[in-house]
Amino acid sequence: MNNYDNFDFNRAIPLINEDSEFFPLMSQEDEEEMNNEETPDILSILPLRNTVLFPGVVIPITVGRDKSIKLIKDAYRGDRIIGVVSQRDVGIEDPTFEQLNQVGTVALIIKMLQMPDGNTTVIIQGKQRFRLQEEIQNDPYIKASIQKFEEVRPKPDKEFKALMASIKEMAMQIIQLSPNIPSEAGIAIKNIESASFLINFISSNMNADVAAKQQMLEVANLPERAKMVLEHLTQELQMQELKNQIQSKVRVDLDKQQRDYFLNQQLKTIQEELGGNSPDLEIENLRFRASEKKWSKDVADHFNKEIEKLSRMNPAAADYSIQINYLELLLDLPWNEFTKDNFDLKRAEKILAKDHYGLEKVKQRIIEYLAVLKLKHNMKAPILCLVGPPGVGKTSLGKSIAKALGRKYVRMALGGIRDEAEIRGHRKTYIGAMPGRIIQSIKKAGTSNPVFVLDEIDKVGNDFRGDPSSALLEVLDPEQNNAFYDHYVEVDYDLSGVMFIATANSLSTIQPALLDRMEIIEVNGYTIEEKVEIAKQHLLPKQREQHGIKTKDISLKANVIEKVIEDYTRESGVRGLEKKIGSLVRGVATKIAMDKEYNPSLSKDDVETILGPPIFDKDLYEGNEVAGVVTGLAWTQVGGDILFIEASLSPGKGKLSLTGNLGDVMKESATIAMAYLRANASKFNIDYRLFDQWDVHVHVPAGATPKDGPSAGITMLTALTSAFTQRKVKPHLAMTGEITLRGKVLPVGGIKEKILAAKRANIKEIILSKSNRKDIMEIKEDYIKDLNFYYVTEMKEVIELALSKDKVKDAIDVSVKSTSAEIH
C-alpha cells in the first residue's frame, strides 16, 4: 500500500472545497445515497493511463492530453459527471474505444486546479461502476452509452465479518511498517464503516498494478473481491516485513562498521600519542622490510598479495594478528641468504680431529664434500645418516661439521614425533596454526644453508594424524627439496643448500624409502684405547671446567681411566664414562672445598673410594675345561659383548631343550646345528645312535636378558660337538657366524663391536666367516695387533680349529650303552 502516486491525503484533502458536501470518507448512508443516484445513459469517457478509480474513492489526477483537458473543462462547466475507464495498454498515447477496458467508474469532478507547472489537476470521486456499451463519438473526445454494473451484496455473516476484520487489521499493520504511508491513511481506515467502501478504498491505494486493480473492479461479488484484496494484502505484508528486516540488518551492519571505524581512528590517535605503531605505520614497516629481501618474484608477488589483504582488514578483527604473524614469518625467513663456506681443508681437518677422537670415516666424508664444493660451488649438499650406539658422538659431530664449514648449526629432535604437521606445518585456517619445525629451524638459523641435524630419525612414530617419516621423504630428497612446501608458508622454500645429518641407533625402524635417500655411515663403538684418549682430551677438561677445578687439582693416568671404563661402565660410547669422571671431579672438589689433603693424581684405590665397589665384572674369558662350553660373540645396543653357550647331555630319548630367554632365530640356529650334527655324525666320529639315547640341553647364561640373532650358529654347533665327543675347546678362543644345513658358515654384522668385546675379555683367537674379512680390514691395526683371526667357509673347519684332540678331565663315557649321569 505504499503506491500513493495517484492518491495523497496530504494533497487531496486540502484541495476540496470547504463548502462541498462531500468528504473523502463516507458513511453507509452516504454510500446508499450514492448508489441510488441516477446515472446518465451516455457519458464522456476519460481514459486513465496508470490508475483505476473505485466507487467512493477520491483521487487527484493530472490531465495532460488535449482531448482530456477539453473533456474536463466541458464537464466542469456542466454537471461535472464523467466516465473514467483505464486503458488496457498504458503505452498508448491516444487510446481508441476498443483499447479501453469494458468496466469503468462514474466520477464526479470535485475540483479543477491549474498547477504552477502548467498541468491541470482535477480531484475526482468515484460514484458507481458501469459497463461500456457502444461508442457514440470519438471527437473531440470519446462519448459512449453505458450500462449500470450491479454489485452482488450477500447478507453479512460471521465469516464475512471476520474477513473484513482481517483486511482492516492487515492494512493497519502495513501502514505501521511502511514509512512512506502517511498516518492519515490509518485514521481513515479506522473510521470507514462501510465494508464495500473499505474494500474499494484499500483496493485503490494498495501496491498493485493497473491490471490487478482492474480485475478487482470487475468482480461483482463483494466477498470474492474481499478475498482478492486480502490475498494482495498478505503478499504486501510479507514483502514489507522482509524489506524491513533487510533494511534493519543493513542499518545494524553500517552502524557497527561506523562505530568500529570511529573507535579505530581514536585508537590510532591514542597509539600515535603514546609513541606506538599505528596499523598504517606497521604495514609500511612490513613493506620496507620486504623491499630489502632477496626473494624470488613468485614469493614477492605472494607477499604483496597478502599485505594488500592485510591493508583491507579491520585492525580489531581476529584475523588481523594472524595475518601480521604470517607476513612477519615470511620476512624472517632467510630467502636466498647463505653463509660463506670456509674451504680451508687443513683447518677443517684440525677442527674435526680436535673435537672428536676416531670416527675416521665420517671425517673423511666431510673433507670429501668440502673438496668437491671447493671445485664446484653449486653442488647439492649430501644427506648423511650416522648410525651407531648411544654416546659415540653422532649428535655432537654435527656441531663440529658446522664449525669446520663455517655454517650455522641447528638441531631438530625427531624422537616421539607422530604428527605430520610437525614437519609440514598447519594450514593457516586452523586456530593456533604455525609452520613446521623444518621452517622454524631455518628461521632460527637465519641462513638457507645451515648444518641441520635430524636427531633420532629412527624414533619417528606414526598414528591417525599422519606419518612424519613420509613427510621427511621430500625434505631428504636432493631432487625435491629445492621446492619444499610447508602448509603454513604456502610457497615453496629451497632446502637444497641445507646439509642434513640424520642420526640413528638402528636402521631397522627407518622406512626403506627414507633410508634409500640417505648416505649411511656407521659410527661404531670406541675401543678401550680410544675411550682413554677421549677421556684425557675431552671429558676430563670439560668436567674440570664445569666444576671449577684447575688442571693442577686433578689428573687421571691411563690405567686409572681404564679401570673406570672396565669396572664402572658397560657401553659403546662415552656418556656413562663422562658421568663417572664427573663423579671423580666432584669428589676432588669436595676435598678442596673442605681443605682436606689429597693426592691430585688419583689412584685405583681413590677411584673405588669415590665411586664405590666395581659395578661390572670384566667379561674375562672363562677356561673351557668342561666339555660343551664355547665362547661366542654378540652385538648389543650398547656395543659388543661375549656370551657362553653351554651344552650338556643326560640319558634320555634324544630330546633338545633350549633355555636362556632365546628368540626364534636363535632357537632355529640350535635346531639347525643339531640337525647338521646328526646328518654328519660320522665326520666327527660320533655314533648316530647316541642322538636317540641322550637328551641335549643348550643354555645361554644371563637368562633375564633377551637374546636373538643367527650369529651364534657356529658357537652352538661347536658346543654340541664338544659335548658329544667330550673334546675340550681350545683356550682363549671365541667365534661368531651363521650356519646352514649344508654346513656353510655365513657372515654376520656388528664385527667391530664384537672384536672390541673379545679384546676386553682377553680373547686371543677368533673364528669368523671368510666374508667378514672386509670388516676386519676397516679396524685400525693397533687395536687388533694381539688377535689372531681364522676365516672359514665350512663348519668342519670350525670344529678342526676349535676342538683340541684331548678330551676334558673327568670325561664321562658317552656311548650307546652308557647310562651316565648328567654332564656338569
Side-chain angles (χ1 to χ4, degrees):
M1 287 185 62
N2 55 4
N3 184 2
Y4 272 80
D5 295 335
N6 301 316
F7 176 69
D8 188 341
F9 283 101
N10 296 326
R11 286 178 55 205
I13 294 176
L15 296 177
I16 301 173
N17 280 330
E18 294 179 0
D19 56 353
S20 172
E21 296 181 354
F22 182 80
F23 187 74
L25 303 184
M26 59 175 59
S27 62
Q28 290 182 352
E29 293 80 6
D30 295 334
E31 185 179 12
E32 290 177 3
E33 182 181 346
M34 183 182 69
N35 290 332
N36 293 329
E37 290 179 359
E38 290 294 329
T39 303
D41 295 332
I42 298 174
L43 284 176
S44 300
I45 304 301
L46 176 67
L48 291 183
R49 179 178 292 182
N50 58 359
T51 188
V52 176
L53 178 65
F54 287 83
V57 177
V58 176
I59 63 171
I61 61 171
T62 299
V63 182
R65 291 184 280 222
D66 293 338
K67 288 184 176 182
S68 299
I69 293 173
K70 181 169 178 53
L71 184 151
I72 292 295
K73 289 181 177 180
D74 291 347
Y76 196 69
R77 286 192 295 267
D79 58 3
R80 299 188 181 184
I81 299 296
I82 62 173
V84 177
V85 183
S86 62
Q87 57 191 63
R88 293 175 180 175
D89 187 353
V90 297
I92 298 175
E93 181 65 27
D94 188 11
T96 62
F97 180 80
E98 289 76 15
Q99 292 171 331
L100 299 177
N101 287 307
Q102 291 300 301
V103 178
T105 306
V106 177
L108 171 66
I109 301 174
I110 298 176
K111 193 167 185 177
M112 182 177 69
L113 295 171
Q114 202 69 31
M115 304 306 291
D117 58 1
N119 290 326
T120 301
T121 298
V122 293
I123 309 298
I124 59 176
Q125 180 188 27
K127 292 292 187 181
Q128 300 175 12
R129 288 180 291 177
F130 65 83
R131 188 182 299 276
L132 290 173
Q133 292 294 315
E134 184 180 357
E135 183 180 21
I136 304 299
Q137 71 174 40
N138 59 14
D139 189 49
Y141 44 79
I142 299 174
K143 276 189 176 184
S145 59
I146 64 168
Q147 179 184 356
K148 191 173 181 179
F149 189 92
E150 297 293 340
E151 186 177 71
V152 179
R153 295 192 180 190
K155 292 183 179 180
D157 55 8
K158 290 183 179 179
E159 183 180 352
F160 182 73
K161 289 181 180 179
L163 181 61
M164 295 309 298
S166 298
I167 291 174
K168 185 176 286 192
E169 181 182 353
M170 197 166 292
M172 295 301 297
Q173 289 180 11
I174 292 173
I175 291 171
Q176 291 176 358
L177 289 174
S178 177
N180 299 323
I181 301 178
S183 58
E184 288 87 347
I187 297 172
I189 290 175
K190 285 182 180 178
N191 290 283
I192 294 175
E193 298 176 358
S194 169
S196 175
F197 178 62
L198 177 63
I199 293 172
N200 290 338
F201 182 82
I202 293 174
S203 300
S204 177
N205 296 294
M206 70 167 42
N207 187 17
D209 56 22
V210 175
K213 291 183 178 181
Q214 180 65 33
Q215 185 180 2
M216 294 179 193
L217 183 68
E218 293 177 1
V219 174
N221 189 284
L222 185 62
E224 287 184 12
R225 193 158 79 249
K227 289 178 183 179
M228 290 179 67
V229 170
L230 183 62
E231 182 180 343
H232 278 277
L233 287 178
T234 303
Q235 293 177 357
E236 176 65 18
L237 179 62
Q238 291 174 352
M239 185 64 67
Q240 195 63 47
E241 288 176 344
L242 184 60
K243 285 169 63 177
N244 285 351
Q245 287 177 5
I246 294 172
Q247 290 174 359
S248 175
K249 184 176 184 303
V250 171
R251 190 181 303 113
V252 169
D253 290 344
L254 285 174
D255 290 346
K256 184 178 184 304
Q257 289 179 8
Q258 291 172 351
R259 175 179 175 274
D260 291 347
Y261 173 77
F262 287 122
L263 289 175
N264 284 322
Q265 289 299 109
Q266 292 176 355
L267 183 62
K268 178 180 176 181
T269 305
I270 292 171
Q271 287 177 337
E272 289 174 351
E273 289 293 328
L274 293 174
N277 293 333
S278 67
D280 292 341
L281 184 58
E282 197 169 26
I283 291 173
E284 285 304 313
N285 288 337
L286 293 176
R287 291 186 192 276
F288 176 75
R289 289 176 60 190
S291 66
E292 298 180 337
K293 298 299 289 184
K294 301 176 183 177
W295 48 30
S296 64
K297 184 179 182 301
D298 291 341
V299 180
D301 291 344
H302 179 78
F303 179 85
N304 292 332
K305 178 182 174 183
E306 293 296 325
I307 203 166
E308 286 300 325
K309 187 188 298 182
L310 176 70
S311 63
R312 295 192 299 269
M313 283 185 179
N314 186 340
D319 289 346
Y320 188 84
S321 60
I322 295 174
Q323 189 73 356
I324 282 282
N325 292 338
Y326 173 67
L327 292 172
E328 287 183 343
L329 172 73
L330 291 180
L331 291 170
D332 290 340
L333 286 175
W335 302 91
N336 296 322
E337 296 177 17
F338 303 96
T339 53
K340 188 176 180 181
D341 289 330
N342 191 324
F343 295 117
D344 188 345
L345 302 187
K346 292 183 179 179
R347 171 183 171 275
E349 277 187 324
K350 287 180 181 178
I351 291 175
L352 293 173
K354 179 183 176 182
D355 292 349
H356 288 80
Y357 188 87
L359 307 178
E360 301 302 328
K361 285 178 66 177
V362 185
K363 294 176 183 177
Q364 181 184 354
R365 183 65 185 88
I366 300 304
I367 297 300
E368 289 173 357
Y369 167 67
L370 269 177
V372 177
L373 193 62
K374 185 176 181 179
L375 300 176
K376 188 175 184 293
H377 293 282
N378 61 347
M379 176 193 175
K380 291 181 179 178
I383 297 170
L384 307 179
C385 181
L386 309 180
V387 182
V392 296
K394 300 184 298 298
T395 304
S396 60
L397 191 61
K399 284 186 179 180
S400 298
I401 293 172
K403 185 178 177 183
L405 293 172
R407 293 189 180 187
K408 296 292 183 68
Y409 168 81
V410 286
R411 173 182 165 272
M412 175 178 165
L414 296 176
I417 286 182
R418 295 179 177 274
D419 191 353
E420 178 207 357
E422 292 278 357
I423 307 297
R424 287 190 176 278
H426 304 78
R427 290 176 177 82
K428 286 192 298 179
T429 52
Y430 294 112
I431 296 174
M434 61 179 65
R437 293 176 64 183
I438 298 289
I439 292 295
Q440 289 184 42
S441 299
I442 294 293
K443 172 188 168 185
K444 179 182 175 183
T447 175
S448 292
N449 65 336
V451 173
F452 200 126
V453 174
L454 298 170
D455 211 8
E456 309 290 355
I457 198 170
D458 57 327
K459 309 293 191 304
V460 175
N462 61 66
D463 59 11
F464 63 92
R465 287 168 289 192
D467 183 2
S469 62
S470 297
L472 284 171
L473 293 177
E474 182 183 1
V475 177
L476 299 182
D477 192 339
E479 301 300 324
Q480 298 181 39
N481 64 8
N482 62 336
F484 172 68
Y485 185 84
D486 185 280
H487 294 314
Y488 184 85
V489 177
E490 293 183 344
V491 287
D492 293 338
Y493 193 89
D494 186 1
L495 297 178
S496 61
V498 180
M499 184 176 186
F500 288 102
I501 299 177
T503 69
N505 297 128
S506 172
L507 299 179
S508 59
T509 56
I510 301 178
Q511 188 183 133
L514 186 60
L515 197 61
D516 185 56
R517 283 163 167 78
M518 299 185 291
E519 184 177 338
I520 308 300
I521 298 178
E522 291 189 4
V523 184
N524 298 310
Y526 296 111
T527 63
I528 292 178
E529 291 82 359
E530 287 175 326
K531 289 183 179 180
V532 170
E533 290 301 320
I534 291 170
K536 283 183 177 181
Q537 297 178 24
H538 301 284
L539 304 183
L540 183 56
K542 180 180 176 182
Q543 292 298 323
R544 278 200 299 250
E545 183 181 352
Q546 288 182 355
H547 293 88
I549 302 296
K550 298 179 181 178
T551 305
K552 63 182 179 65
D553 294 332
I554 182 173
S555 65
L556 297 175
K557 294 181 180 179
N559 62 335
V560 175
I561 297 174
E562 192 171 331
K563 176 178 176 61
V564 175
I565 294 169
E566 292 180 344
D567 293 351
Y568 296 93
T569 66
R570 182 70 60 86
E571 59 180 351
S572 293
V574 292
R575 196 167 284 151
L577 176 60
E578 183 179 8
K579 293 176 184 176
K580 296 303 177 184
I581 292 176
S583 297
L584 295 177
V585 173
R586 287 192 294 274
V588 170
T590 303
K591 292 181 179 179
I592 293 174
M594 298 177 69
D595 295 326
K596 292 183 178 181
E597 292 187 3
Y598 74 99
N599 185 355
S601 180
L602 299 185
S603 64
K604 292 183 178 181
D605 293 336
D606 294 332
V607 170
E608 290 198 10
T609 302
I610 296 173
L611 299 182
I615 299 174
F616 299 104
D617 292 329
K618 187 177 180 182
D619 289 330
L620 290 175
Y621 160 77
E622 295 182 5
N624 296 349
E625 297 298 328
V626 179
V629 179
V630 183
T631 305
L633 299 175
W635 179 91
T636 68
Q637 288 277 344
V638 295
D641 206 348
I642 67 169
L643 53 81
F644 301 98
I645 307 292
E646 301 175 348
S648 67
L649 302 179
S650 60
K653 297 182 180 180
K655 179 184 175 183
L656 175 64
S657 300
L658 303 172
T659 58
N661 201 353
L662 309 183
D664 292 339
V665 177
M666 204 164 182
K667 289 178 180 178
E668 290 172 0
S669 296
T671 305
I672 292 170
M674 191 67 183
Y676 175 78
L677 193 59
R678 279 174 174 268
N680 298 275
S682 60
K683 294 182 180 178
F684 305 111
N685 297 321
I686 299 174
D687 191 329
Y688 70 92
R689 292 174 295 177
L690 294 175
F691 297 107
D692 295 327
Q693 296 184 5
W694 292 83
D695 288 342
V696 181
H697 187 169
V698 177
H699 177 67
V700 183
T705 305
K707 311 169 191 70
D708 204 1
S711 61
I714 64 172
T715 315
M716 287 184 168
L717 182 55
T718 304
L720 291 171
T721 306
S722 173
F724 276 103
T725 61
Q726 290 294 293
R727 293 163 60 187
K728 65 180 181 180
V729 180
K730 291 180 181 179
H732 304 289
L733 175 73
M735 62 187 71
T736 181
E738 182 181 354
I739 62 168
T740 69
L741 283 173
R742 297 174 295 152
K744 299 290 183 181
V745 179
L746 303 180
V748 291
I751 293 299
K752 182 179 179 182
E753 286 82 359
K754 293 176 180 179
I755 299 305
L756 298 180
K759 190 174 182 182
R760 286 198 301 267
N762 201 26
I763 297 293
K764 301 298 182 183
E765 297 176 308
I766 298 175
I767 300 176
L768 300 168
S769 169
K770 191 174 182 179
S771 300
N772 283 124
R773 184 192 293 269
K774 63 181 185 300
D775 300 301
I776 301 299
M777 294 175 67
E778 293 181 359
I779 304 175
K780 283 187 176 180
E781 290 186 8
D782 294 344
Y783 300 156
I784 58 176
K785 61 184 178 181
D786 297 329
L787 297 175
N788 292 323
F789 295 95
Y790 300 100
Y791 303 105
V792 298
T793 57
E794 300 284 343
M795 194 58 223
K796 61 182 180 181
E797 298 176 59
V798 177
I799 301 301
E800 291 173 1
L801 289 169
L803 300 184
S804 64
K805 301 293 183 182
D806 304 326
K807 290 192 176 184
V808 297
K809 293 180 180 180
D810 302 324
I812 64 170
D813 182 16
V814 181
S815 62
V816 175
K817 297 179 181 180
S818 175
T819 56
S820 301
E822 180 182 348
I823 300 174
H824 297 286

